[in-house]
Amino acid sequence: MVSSIKAVFLFHREEDRIINFEIEFEEWISEQTAYESNPRRRELLGKGLGHGTVEFLRRIWYPAIGNFNDLHAEWEVRDLNNRHRYLDLAYMPADAKGCIEIHGFSSHARDIEAWRFKDLCMKQAMLSLDDWIFLPIAYLSIKEDPSLCKQLVLSFVGKFTSFPASHSLDWTENETIRYARRLLRPFTAKELASHLQRSEKHARRILQQLVDKHWLTVVDDKQRYRTWQLPPHLFL
């Protein structure tokens, strides 16, 4: 009986999330189209986003981030040769520049023409040289590894903006959680000590406090090589 009630609750929660996504997605696209003065970008937005981009937003970005703030679709940039380029998604809080590109298998790996592959590499190189942080996502990963994609997105966003602090944690504990989100992989007490500019002994005390409060988990329990990371539910 309890499991049935839980299943119904989860179903309605997922249904509400889908409805919220559809409403906010339409508002987001409509607002960008209405305020866009560039006729070429307005035309691209009017045609609709690619299937892979919409699935990424629906299954990865929106569940992980919860909004479309500072996100721009079909964003126009100019490369070093003054050519117009269009990014699937540009994430630009304040003066930051982040680019997310969704790659389908057939068009970007198996059947891609040599000139197109060369152009894609040049595009990424020029964006990197212009200080863009580039996040390529394979369409298959959206379907097969959504949890990992959400972790990547949270770490990507974490490079530009701080996550809200918890009032139950002190400054060093909150900074440790932010560090764990950005790093994505398990880390050692020595790495944290260097980041916080504290002693390794102090760092270990902070880590243990966060484990006790269920904010971190121990990955390798060997005393000498122990590492820590966020538990899965804090990534999702």
Side-chain angles (χ1 to χ4, degrees):
M1 181 66 178
V2 174
S3 60
S4 298
I5 294 173
K6 183 177 180 181
V8 171
F9 170 76
L10 291 175
F11 172 78
H12 286 295
R13 184 178 178 184
E14 177 66 13
E15 194 174 50
D16 289 342
R17 186 186 67 78
I18 292 172
I19 293 172
N20 289 340
F21 169 80
E22 296 296 342
I23 293 172
E24 293 198 33
F25 176 78
E26 290 301 325
E27 290 178 351
W28 174 65
I29 289 294
S30 297
E31 183 176 331
Q32 290 194 67
T33 304
Y35 287 97
E36 180 54 63
S37 59
N38 183 325
R40 175 56 179 157
R41 181 173 180 247
R42 189 189 302 122
E43 178 186 355
L44 290 172
L45 291 170
K47 289 179 178 179
L49 306 187
H51 173 72
T53 302
V54 175
E55 284 299 286
F56 169 79
L57 293 170
R58 185 196 317 277
R59 301 183 59 167
I60 309 300
W61 182 274
Y62 189 76
I65 306 302
N67 59 64
F68 299 111
N69 297 346
D70 302 310
L71 194 65
H72 308 270
E74 300 294 351
W75 188 253
E76 183 183 282
V77 296
R78 292 198 180 191
D79 63 22
L80 298 177
N81 293 324
N82 207 33
R83 290 175 55 195
H84 295 281
R85 301 277 190 169
Y86 291 90
L87 313 181
D88 289 345
L89 296 165
Y91 181 63
M92 300 186 295
D95 296 324
K97 296 188 291 186
C99 169
I100 303 171
E101 294 276 87
I102 312 302
H103 297 324
F105 177 70
S106 62
S107 62
H108 290 85
R110 184 182 58 192
D111 301 324
I112 189 169
E113 302 92 338
W115 71 267
R116 179 59 176 157
F117 177 73
K118 176 184 174 183
D119 187 64
L120 284 170
C121 292
M122 188 62 67
K123 176 183 178 181
Q124 183 172 349
M126 290 181 174
L127 286 169
S128 299
L129 290 172
D130 195 31
D131 297 326
W132 285 82
I133 294 179
F134 194 81
L135 180 66
I137 298 287
Y139 179 73
L140 284 178
S141 295
I142 297 171
K143 294 291 187 179
E144 299 174 1
D145 301 301
S147 294
L148 177 57
C149 288
K150 289 173 187 175
Q151 292 180 30
L152 290 171
V153 163
L154 286 168
S155 294
F156 176 76
V157 170
K159 289 185 174 293
F160 307 107
T161 184
S162 297
F163 288 87
S166 170
H167 297 300
S168 65
L169 305 178
D170 64 24
W171 176 86
T172 56
E173 291 172 330
N174 268 307
E175 184 56 33
T176 298
I177 298 302
R178 281 191 283 264
Y179 177 72
R181 283 188 183 274
R182 292 194 299 267
L183 198 59
L184 193 59
R185 60 170 174 80
F187 58 94
T188 65
K190 184 176 182 179
E191 289 176 308
L192 179 63
S194 176
H195 175 73
L196 296 177
Q197 297 186 337
R198 299 291 192 273
S199 69
E200 190 170 339
K201 181 178 180 180
H202 189 182
R204 288 185 180 277
R205 184 163 61 249
I206 294 168
L207 290 165
Q208 186 56 55
Q209 290 169 352
L210 290 171
V211 169
D212 293 341
K213 296 176 181 179
H214 306 294
W215 282 88
L216 291 178
T217 58
V218 178
V219 179
D220 190 335
D221 204 23
K222 295 180 181 178
Q223 187 63 39
R224 187 175 179 183
Y225 302 107
R226 183 172 292 185
T227 55
W228 292 260
Q229 69 175 13
L230 289 177
H233 72 274
L234 290 183
F235 268 124
L236 305 182

